[in-house]
Every structure is written in structure tokens, then in C-alpha cells.
Amino acid sequence: EVQLVESGGGLVQPGGSLRLSCAASGFTFSSFWMNWVRQAPGKGLEWVAIVKQDGSVKSYVDSVKGRFTISRDNAKNSLYLEMNTLRAEDTAVYYCVGSTGWLLHYWGQGTLVTVSS
Amino acid sequence: EIVLTQSPGTLSLSPGERATLSCRASQSVGRNFLAWYHHKPGQAPRLLIHTASIRATDIPDRFSGSGSGTDFTLIISRLEPEDFAVYYCQQYADSPLTFGGGTRVDIK
């Protein structure tokens, strides 16, 4: 059974930092592109970032460029999102998602990040 | 970027009824790289349809997708209780990948 379990969410002040983690199992992690997708309260889904199987290619939505960094460790079947200079508008549930190219196959249940003073 | 507009925003139907959901793109979606997802609050979203009309693994045949270019449709032929949820379309032809705003299917 495919499992993606996110962790690391919580309450952080504006301007602060947070690191999200995602533990993957039940599929060949190293064969998939990996993504972070978020959903702000009461809003729809928004793609945030993607990393290629070997970590050599990364891409971000414009609103997080320069502030967020996606990375992976294939030996640990883990995905990460380093989030810096957080803003109120970054408040959302963050989902870890495995994809083939841009097609999003496997989703975790999400971790909530709240940016507030 | 390709903007996806879903309609209606909310659909109120009874179990057993047919649901028709629309997704319109601001420009043609190359190779019909259009997917549909089912999402219930507190749960992981689930891939239903890709390439506009191909059902994902283990998706029942009451779900069908159609369309090409800029206009796409998801039909649920007979609503089951677990189908009451929010549905999103997503294009994966161009960067950045984008989602529609969602259609909520509620129990009438």
C-alpha cells in the first residue's frame, strides 16, 4: 500500500522558518518526481514545487521562489520542504505528492502550516 | 500559465443521480494532459482520470472523462455516498501545472 506521511507543520510567526518532511513507502520512491501541493483554508489546490527523481531538477511556483527549497533523500525515501521568510498567505495544508512528470499519482494526507503572530 | 475554470461551483444531487462537471481552459491543453481528482476534507486527494478520459487504477467505471482542447467534462453516472466531495481538474501539459477552482458535489 502506498503511503506518504507528512510531518513538521505547526504555528510559526511571520518571517519565520519551518521544515516539512514526507516519509514515503509502498512504491519505488526513487522512480518518481516528487511535489509539494498546498491548500489554503477555504481555497483550492495550488502546486508549490517539484523535484526530479535524482534531485537534479527543481521548479517552484513564483510566489515561493527564493524562499522555499525542495529536496529529497532517496536512501531514506524522504522528501523535504525548507520554508523561510514565511508569510500569512503561506498558511495552508501542505501535501506531499508523487508524480510521473506533472501527473500527480500519490498523495499524502497533508500537514497544516499556520503563519500568524 | 493555463487558467482552468470549473463549473458549476456547487452541484446538489441525490445518490443515484448523474453528475456532470465542466472544466474550461484559457488555452488549448496539449496532448489532452488534463486530469481529474476527488478530494474529501481531511483525506488525501485521489487521481480519477488522466489524459482527459483514461481512468486511473482501481477507479470504478461510473466515472468517465471526455473533451479535448479547451473544454473537458467529468461525468459520474450514478452517485454513490462516497462520491460527495470536491472535484478538481488539473492540466499537466505546461509549466506551472495548474488546478481549477473545484466543483463541490453535495448531497441534496
Side-chain angles (χ1 to χ4, degrees), chain A residues 55-72:
Chain A
S56 62
V57 176
K58 301 177 184 181
S59 182
Y60 302 88
V61 68
D62 284 349
S63 59
V64 309
K65 282 180 183 174
R67 300 189 300 123
F68 289 13
T69 302
I70 189 171
S71 62
R72 64 191 295 163

Side-chain angles (χ1 to χ4, degrees), chain A residues 35 37 39 43-47 50 59-61 95 100 102-109, chain B residues 35 37 39 42-47 49-50 88 90 92-97 99-101:
Chain A
N35 304 258
V37 174
Q39 184 175 32
K43 303 292 185 182
L45 299 169
E46 179 186 38
W47 170 80
I50 191 170
S59 182
Y60 302 88
V61 68
Y95 296 97
T100 51
W102 299 89
L103 178 61
L104 307 174
H105 287 273
Y106 304 132
W107 294 70
Q109 294 205 329
Chain B
Y37 299 85
H39 188 204
Q43 296 184 12
R46 181 176 56 150
L47 174 65
I49 300 283
H50 66 86
Y88 294 95
Q90 175 234 334
Y92 53 104
D94 281 354
S95 175
L97 72 84
F99 293 93

Side-chain angles (χ1 to χ4, degrees), chain B residues 50-92:
Chain B
H50 66 86
T51 325
S53 62
I54 300 174
R55 276 190 300 276
T57 304
D58 295 331
I59 299 304
D61 61 7
R62 66 179 181 273
F63 291 93
S64 63
S66 64
S68 64
T70 61
D71 289 294
F72 300 89
T73 301
L74 174 69
I75 290 175
I76 311 169
S77 58
R78 293 173 310 280
L79 285 163
E80 298 285 342
E82 61 269 27
D83 298 338
F84 292 93
V86 180
Y87 291 82
Y88 294 95
C89 60
Q90 175 234 334
Q91 68 79 22
Y92 53 104

Side-chain angles (χ1 to χ4, degrees), chain A residues 6-12 18-21 36 83 92 94 110-114:
Chain A
E6 302 92 340
S7 60
L11 175 63
V12 61
L18 213 53
R19 188 192 197 213
L20 304 183
S21 299
W36 290 98
M83 304 186 293
Y94 284 74
T111 186
L112 176 61
V113 172
T114 304

Side-chain angles (χ1 to χ4, degrees), chain A residues 17-104:
Chain A
S17 299
L18 213 53
R19 188 192 197 213
L20 304 183
S21 299
C22 170
S25 61
F27 67 105
T28 307
F29 180 78
S30 59
S31 296
F32 282 75
W33 291 70
M34 293 299 298
N35 304 258
W36 290 98
V37 174
R38 66 185 178 184
Q39 184 175 32
K43 303 292 185 182
L45 299 169
E46 179 186 38
W47 170 80
V48 174
I50 191 170
V51 59
K52 194 178 177 181
Q53 291 93 330
D54 62 359
S56 62
V57 176
K58 301 177 184 181
S59 182
Y60 302 88
V61 68
D62 284 349
S63 59
V64 309
K65 282 180 183 174
R67 300 189 300 123
F68 289 13
T69 302
I70 189 171
S71 62
R72 64 191 295 163
D73 184 337
N74 288 342
K76 295 182 178 179
N77 286 349
S78 293
L79 177 72
Y80 307 100
L81 186 67
E82 189 75 39
M83 304 186 293
N84 297 314
T85 321
L86 282 161
R87 306 167 180 166
E89 54 265 35
D90 296 318
T91 294
V93 174
Y94 284 74
Y95 296 97
C96 167
V97 189
S99 68
T100 51
W102 299 89
L103 178 61
L104 307 174

